[in-house]
Amino acid sequence: GQNIDQPTEMTATEGAIVQINCTYQTSGFNGLFWYQQHAGEAPTFLSYNVLDGLEEKGRFSSFLSRSKGYSYLLLKELQMKDSASYLCAVLDSNYQLIWGAGTKLIIKP
Amino acid sequence: NAGVTQTPKFQVLKTGQSMTLQCAQDMNHNSMYWYRQDPGMGLRLIYYSASEGTTDKGEVPDGYNVSRLKKQNFLLGLESAAPSQTSVYFCASSYSSEQSQYFGPGTRLTVL
C-alpha cells in the first residue's frame, strides 16, 4: 500500500527554527509537495522537490532524499502566522497525489 | 482573477437528499480534482478530470458522481446523501497533473 507519515503535532517558539519530517512509501515517485493549511482554510502550495537536495525559498526550505523516502520542511525565524498544518504529498507513478494527514504546528510566543 | 471558487460554502442535508457542489476556475487549467478532508486523515481524492469531457475515479468515488462539460467547471454530485459523507470538500485545479494544485475555499457539508 501507499503510505505517508508525518508527526501529528509539533510545538515551537516564535523566532526559532522547526523541522517537519515526512517519510513515504509509494508506488513510484514523481515529486514531493509541501502545502500549508491554516485552520478552516484551503491548502496553499509551499514547495516542490523532485531531485535530491535542498530547495530554499525565503524562510522556508524543503529537503528530499529519494533513496531514503524522506523529506523535511524547515521553517526559520518562526512567526505566529506560521501556526498552521503542513501537508506532505507525493506524486505517484500514476501522477496522482498521495497526501499525508498533516502536521499541526503550534507557535508559542 | 478569482482563482478557484466553490459553491455553496456550507450545506446541511438530510439522509437520502441529493445535491451538487459546484467548482469553477479561471486559470485555464486542464486538470481539476475533488477531495474530501476528514479530521485526522489526509486529503482523499474522490474524482479527477485531466481535461474537459474526461473524468476518472480516485480513491473514494462511491456515492459520488462528477461532470466536466466545460473546461472551467467541475461538478460533484451526491445522489443519496449519507452521514458518512459529512466532510469538508475541496475542489482544486492545476495546469497538468505534475504541477502544483490550487484549491478552492471548501464546502462544509453535514448530513443528518
Side-chain angles (χ1 to χ4, degrees), chain A residues 33 35 37 40-43 45 87 91 95-97 99-101, chain B residues 35 37 40-43 45 48 90 97-98 100-101 103-104 108:
Chain A
F33 293 83
Y35 283 76
Q37 185 177 25
E41 298 183 7
F45 169 73
L87 313 180
L91 201 60
Y95 290 92
Q96 287 196 12
L97 270 180
W99 295 82
Chain B
Y35 292 96
Q37 187 175 41
M41 301 182 72
L43 287 160
L45 184 65
Y48 68 100
F90 286 104
S97 56
E98 303 97 272
S100 59
Q101 296 180 13
F103 285 78
R108 283 140 187 87

Side-chain angles (χ1 to χ4, degrees), chain B residues 19-81:
Chain B
M19 78 162 296
T20 299
L21 279 63
Q22 306 205 14
C23 176
Q25 52 93 6
D26 62 2
M27 296 175 282
N28 200 34
H29 283 168
N30 295 308
S31 299
M32 296 187 74
Y33 314 82
W34 275 107
Y35 292 96
R36 61 177 289 172
Q37 187 175 41
D38 301 295
M41 301 182 72
L43 287 160
R44 291 185 291 169
L45 184 65
I46 304 171
Y47 272 94
Y48 68 100
S49 169
S51 60
E52 176 184 342
T54 68
T55 61
D56 286 288
K57 294 179 179 179
E59 180 186 356
V60 289
D62 293 344
Y64 306 94
N65 57 73
V66 289
S67 167
R68 182 115 184 255
L69 298 179
K70 293 182 179 180
K71 186 175 185 178
Q72 63 267 35
N73 299 119
F74 195 27
L75 307 181
L76 178 70
L78 284 74
E79 297 171 337
S80 179

